[in-house]
């Protein structure tokens, strides 16, 4: 497809400006495991664009940029994001956020439906990447508590990193079977002494939907524009014409500062 070619072209890659200015002191302290992220992306295959929405300082951003830039269009934006502008290719985007940044909780709340549609997410707490990190159980519990009130669904593709030892991480996916269900943590892969190991039982997220553990699905949608039906896979009319009863959270985030 022409659009995919455009994405891979050098011109487009160069067009991504990293916003290195005006960033306050970072919270990752140089410890963000960029190689683990690259291992995850290579295992997933699809995402072409990686956008880090964080409060990290220049050093941390540059480290991640160096690791990812060769293969992925890598952008950095602030964790205080004011608007999300619809982009037809956003389903190719992988978003990285850090719960150690002050704006992240609000950002995740505003993302609403985008937590289970369109984007893949990596949610980390960069405070866990230090030498003296909490136990694995405590890290998982932190994510459970911090993310309990978010709308995660079976279709969510949200990853978390759990630091095990100095150079070992487990990469997990989190989701819920339905809104009030407890949060599930599923092992996706491991980073063991410098290499990514795929630990998935099932390759496709949608397999989860076959086993909803007895929950009855209730869904309805209102299509207000006939053209929507021509665009069920490219998401073009997804937001403007599909009426979910909740508010429109995507208005509060803006990824497009990436392309300016
Ligand atoms: C990482 O995990 C492997 C396998 O469990 C283990 O053999 C190795 O010692 C661990 N490395 C570190 C640095 O803890
Ligand atoms: C969406 O549907 C709800 C419930 O039917 C309705 O109250 C609301 O006005 C609709 N919103 C839009 C933007 O059409």
């Amino acid at each position: 497809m022409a659009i995919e070619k455009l994405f891979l072209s050098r011109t487009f890659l160069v067009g991504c400006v990293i916003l290195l200015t005006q960033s306050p002191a970072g919270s990752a302290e140089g410890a963000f495991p960029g190689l683990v992220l690259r291992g995850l992306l290579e295992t997933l295959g699809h995402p072409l664009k990686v956008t880090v929405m964080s409060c990290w300082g220049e050093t941390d951003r540059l480290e991640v940029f160096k690791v990812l830039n060769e293969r992925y269009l890598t952008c950095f934006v602030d964790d205080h994001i004011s608007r999300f502008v619809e982009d037809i290719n956003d389903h190719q985007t992988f978003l990285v956020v850090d719960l150690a940044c002050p704006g992240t909780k609000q950002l995740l709340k505003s993302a609403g439906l985008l937590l289970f549609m369109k984007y893949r997410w990596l949610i980390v707490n960069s405070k866990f990447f230090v030498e003296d990190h909490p136990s694995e159980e405590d890290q998982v519990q932190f994510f459970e508590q911090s993310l309990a009130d978010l709308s995660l669904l079976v279709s969510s593709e949200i990853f978390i990193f759990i630091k095990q030892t100095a150079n070992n991480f487990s990469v997990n996916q989190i989701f819920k079977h339905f809104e009030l269900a407890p949060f599930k943590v599923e092992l996706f892969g491991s980073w063991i002494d410098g290499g990514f190991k795929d630990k998935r039982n099932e390759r496709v997220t949608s397999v989860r939907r076959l086993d909803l553990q007895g929950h009855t699905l209730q869904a309805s949608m209102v299509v207000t524009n006939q053209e929507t039906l021509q665009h069920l896979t490219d998401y073009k009319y997804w937001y403007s014409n599909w009426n979910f009863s909740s508010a429109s959270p995507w208005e509060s985030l803006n990824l497009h500062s990436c392309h300016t």
Side-chain angles (χ1 to χ4, degrees), residues 3 20 23 29 55 60 82 84 107 113 124 133 185 220 242:
I3 284 171
L20 286 178
S23 30
E29 290 155 359
C55 57
D60 293 310
S82 58
F84 225 129
L107 189 159
L113 308 181
V124 299
H133 56 85
V185 181
S220 61
W242 295 50

Side-chain angles (χ1 to χ4, degrees), residues 12 41 55-56 65-66 69 77 86 95 128 176 208:
F12 195 80
L41 293 170
C55 57
W56 301 351
F65 185 74
K66 276 194 264 176
N69 177 44
V77 296
E86 195 178 338
L95 301 180
F128 294 162
K176 291 177 185 173
R208 280 187 214 142

